[in-house]
Amino acid sequence: MKRRVFITLLGGAVTWPLAARAQQMPVIGFLLGHSRDTATIAAFHQGLNETGYVEGQNVAIEYRFADGQNDRLPALAADLVNRQVAVLFAGTNAAALAAKAATTTIPVVFAIGGDPVKLGLVARLNRPGGNITGVTMFATQMETKRLGLLHELIPGATVVAALINPSQPDARAQADEVTEAARVLGLKLHVIYAGSERDLEAAFATCLQLRAGALQVAADPFFNSRREQIVALAARYMLPAIYEWRYFVALGGLASYGTSLADGFRQGGIYTGRILKGAKTTDLPTVQTTKFEFLINLKTAKALGIEIAPMLSARADEVIE
């Protein structure tokens, strides 16, 4: 009996420190408005690794995904707050707003495409104030530039359409911006709204009915999470389109223009790691990404019967042939 008691006590002595270390491991809440995306998560992990944190070794991560349904975000954010995560990371505009509304004490780091000041996330870029800071990638502020490039790619298209998600916090600003850009370029623009998979099917059918010669897909996490479907629909309807991220072009989209999504999430990972090490959100200014990418898929252009001007191809950061 004594030997059994000794073995039991020895086993407890071995397992107790392991359990204690697991309990002491900080937990990050990872909140996305769209579905799980391997590339962006890998970029976030890269940023964490640069600050000395590796998931499963010295930090744990609780993942929550809204799958493009922004109305689910408040509950998902509240769940992470109730779990008392050490830092709450939010990867879209709507997710950041939900995270801010859910807590005033847990540090929040965002990686978004909108203007954090206009969205009410921070007071100023250099001095964010409160418990929230992060990185902005200018995604929703590039609609004018994207429409201009689309016009250069398809100069013969005088009627164009813009696809916008109505539940995107920046939807109104996106619509106003692209409408004004179309007016300046002398284009007839139709704004088409889609916030679900069913809406996407109907949206492309509407483009055909309106005789749109080209399509601009506005920056939006839901569209990014449904990029395979959107690119496939564009191919089916033979509709040349420009997108926000390079992932669309890699799948067969005609062109894209925007900042580096991977770079933004990597910086978000770095900020999260710095906060875990003791940095305060009030001491971390909001970062603005400055790396922009213009991609063209010449294979897709050929399939659509489009001839890309050599000078335009020369301006592209990457050309897929």
Side-chain angles (χ1 to χ4, degrees):
M1 289 296 294
K2 291 182 179 180
R3 181 172 179 271
R4 289 177 182 174
V5 171
F6 173 75
I7 291 173
T8 301
L9 291 173
L10 180 61
V14 172
T15 58
W16 179 82
L18 294 176
R21 283 200 295 270
Q23 291 176 354
Q24 293 172 0
M25 185 182 294
V27 179
I28 299 168
F30 188 97
L31 181 65
L32 280 187
H34 50 77
S35 55
R36 179 182 290 271
D37 185 276
T38 303
T40 53
I41 292 175
F44 178 77
H45 283 178
Q46 181 185 347
L48 275 180
N49 297 163
E50 291 179 27
T51 59
Y53 288 98
V54 178
E55 183 180 13
Q57 294 184 16
N58 57 358
V59 70
I61 304 179
E62 287 277 347
Y63 297 94
R64 298 292 184 274
F65 306 98
D67 296 324
Q69 301 175 46
N70 288 338
D71 58 342
R72 294 178 54 199
L73 287 167
L76 294 175
D79 178 47
L80 291 171
V81 170
N82 289 337
R83 291 174 182 270
Q84 298 183 332
V85 296
V87 184
L88 179 51
F89 174 81
T92 60
N93 291 358
L97 290 169
K100 184 183 181 188
T103 179
T104 57
T105 56
I106 295 174
V108 176
V109 175
F110 58 73
I112 62 172
D115 184 330
V117 177
K118 289 183 179 179
L119 287 171
L121 292 170
V122 299
R124 292 183 297 277
L125 295 180
N126 61 333
R127 298 184 65 83
N131 65 315
I132 185 167
T133 188
V135 55
T136 176
M137 293 169 276
F138 293 108
T140 58
Q141 295 108 303
M142 292 290 107
E143 306 303 348
T144 296
K145 179 66 175 181
R146 276 188 282 271
L147 186 62
L149 288 171
L150 182 63
H151 183 51
E152 290 187 66
L153 288 163
I154 321 292
T158 57
V159 179
V160 297
L163 186 66
I164 296 175
N165 180 1
S167 68
Q168 160 69 256
D170 272 344
R172 179 62 182 273
Q174 288 176 309
D176 290 344
E177 181 181 338
V178 76
T179 298
E180 175 60 18
R183 185 193 66 78
V184 173
L185 292 170
L187 301 174
K188 183 176 181 180
L189 175 77
H190 296 284
V191 175
I192 301 173
Y193 294 99
S196 69
E197 289 187 32
R198 182 178 299 179
D199 290 344
L200 289 174
E201 294 277 352
F204 277 85
T206 300
C207 287
L208 182 64
Q209 295 170 1
L210 295 172
R211 300 181 182 276
L215 172 68
Q216 175 169 337
V217 178
D220 178 70
F222 168 69
F223 294 155
N224 188 38
S225 67
R226 299 296 188 276
R227 53 186 178 267
E228 292 89 351
Q229 179 187 3
I230 292 173
V231 170
L233 284 168
R236 185 199 308 172
Y237 284 89
M238 296 292 289
L239 187 61
I242 191 166
Y243 309 90
E244 55 172 329
W245 307 118
R246 63 166 40 243
Y247 307 117
F248 289 89
V249 180
L251 289 168
L254 177 61
S256 68
Y257 180 81
T259 50
S260 171
L261 187 62
D263 187 61
F265 272 70
R266 171 183 160 274
Q267 182 62 55
I270 290 174
Y271 262 26
T272 300
R274 289 180 64 181
I275 289 173
L276 289 175
K277 286 182 176 294
K280 296 180 180 179
T281 54
T282 51
D283 297 330
L284 297 174
T286 299
V287 178
Q288 302 177 69
T289 55
T290 56
K291 181 182 178 181
F292 294 88
E293 303 174 320
F294 176 35
L295 279 74
I296 300 175
N297 192 319
L298 292 183
K299 184 178 179 180
T300 300
K302 184 177 180 180
L304 293 170
I306 299 170
E307 185 175 346
I308 305 296
M311 290 186 64
L312 193 58
S313 295
R315 285 164 50 195
D317 297 285
E318 186 176 335
V319 174
I320 299 175
E321 301 188 61

